[in-house]
Amino acid sequence: MGKCIVCGKETADYVHTLEVRTLHVRDMDRAKRVQALGSFQDFYVCENCAHTREQLERLPVKAASPKLIGFGLTMLAGVALLTADLAYLGGDRVFFLLALAAIACGILGLIQTLSDARERSRGLGTMTPEQARLEGALSLIRDYAPKKSGEEDLTYIPVTGKTLQMKNGDLMVMYNLLPEIAVEAWKRIRQNRTGGR
């Protein structure tokens, strides 16, 4: 038993995960990533919270609304800057290009975010209730689990039936792993299968 990471209620439902630690390092000429695998972590998510998130994600616009608002504001800021530039600055090239970039970023972000949310909603429609609740729990873990440890970014690979069926190349793509870390993660999640959802 543990406390739900969302509501704090005692629950026996958890997801077993493998922590991935990523450090972004700047060389003289470029930025690169250094990755290492951390320890296994159990994140408790009660059935009610997982179900609530899963139901929310079946409504694409509502589920994506925080990101949609952000991209909408970016687009509006670009429109405001463009209007101000044309009205008061006589079409200054730098402000004009900056305004166009903000508008383009906002529009592309809106389209991609809505497309991703719709795809996720369609995917949930093909799952069993248990699989859909697991997806809800995984979504909450992405939102509520620690994301930083000092300078390192933290992400988590869930040890589920789905990830146990993946090849190391699939893990690399899905969890943005370096090739050698994907191989090591593939080995470790098979050696450490445990309970959970």
Side-chain angles (χ1 to χ4, degrees):
M1 293 285 282
K3 293 192 176 191
C4 174
I5 62 170
V6 181
C7 69
K9 181 175 108 181
E10 285 286 327
T11 181
D13 295 324
Y14 67 93
V15 179
H16 192 58
T17 67
L18 175 59
E19 181 184 77
V20 179
R21 304 173 83 85
T22 304
L23 182 63
H24 298 276
V25 180
R26 286 212 171 269
D27 271 352
M28 295 292 275
D29 55 343
R30 63 187 177 96
K32 67 176 185 177
R33 289 182 301 151
V34 177
Q35 277 185 334
L37 296 176
S39 58
F40 284 93
Q41 309 251 356
D42 292 333
F43 291 104
Y44 289 84
V45 180
C46 73
E47 189 171 333
N48 185 52
C49 287
H51 178 70
T52 301
R53 174 56 67 96
E54 170 242 322
Q55 290 299 308
L56 173 66
E57 292 194 346
R58 289 179 186 273
L59 308 168
V61 174
K62 191 171 181 181
S65 61
K67 286 184 179 178
L68 292 174
I69 290 168
F71 285 120
L73 290 174
T74 301
M75 184 181 69
L76 290 175
V79 169
L81 181 59
L82 181 63
T83 304
D85 179 41
L86 294 175
Y88 303 110
L89 302 174
D92 182 276
R93 188 176 177 92
V94 173
F95 287 113
F96 182 76
L97 292 175
L98 186 61
L100 289 182
I103 292 168
C105 178
I107 291 171
L108 292 174
L110 286 168
I111 292 168
Q112 187 62 50
T113 299
L114 200 50
S115 173
D116 291 347
R118 284 187 175 142
E119 185 64 33
R120 190 159 172 77
S121 176
R122 277 193 294 271
L124 287 170
T126 66
M127 296 178 184
T128 66
E130 294 77 23
Q131 291 170 329
R133 269 195 302 279
L134 173 59
E135 287 301 311
L138 294 174
S139 176
L140 289 169
I141 289 168
R142 283 190 292 275
D143 287 352
Y144 286 87
K147 293 175 181 57
K148 293 289 268 184
S149 176
E151 296 292 310
E152 298 174 319
D153 294 336
L154 301 179
T155 54
Y156 306 90
I157 302 171
V159 182
T160 63
K162 184 177 176 181
T163 51
L164 287 168
Q165 292 173 4
M166 290 181 176
K167 296 183 170 74
N168 54 20
D170 300 327
L171 285 173
M172 183 177 77
V173 171
M174 181 160 273
Y175 297 101
N176 198 22
L177 303 174
L178 297 172
E180 62 277 10
I181 297 301
V183 171
E184 185 60 28
W186 187 85
K187 289 178 188 171
R188 285 188 59 188
I189 65 174
R190 273 156 186 74
Q191 294 167 353
N192 197 280
R193 300 177 206 206
T194 186
R197 287 182 179 270

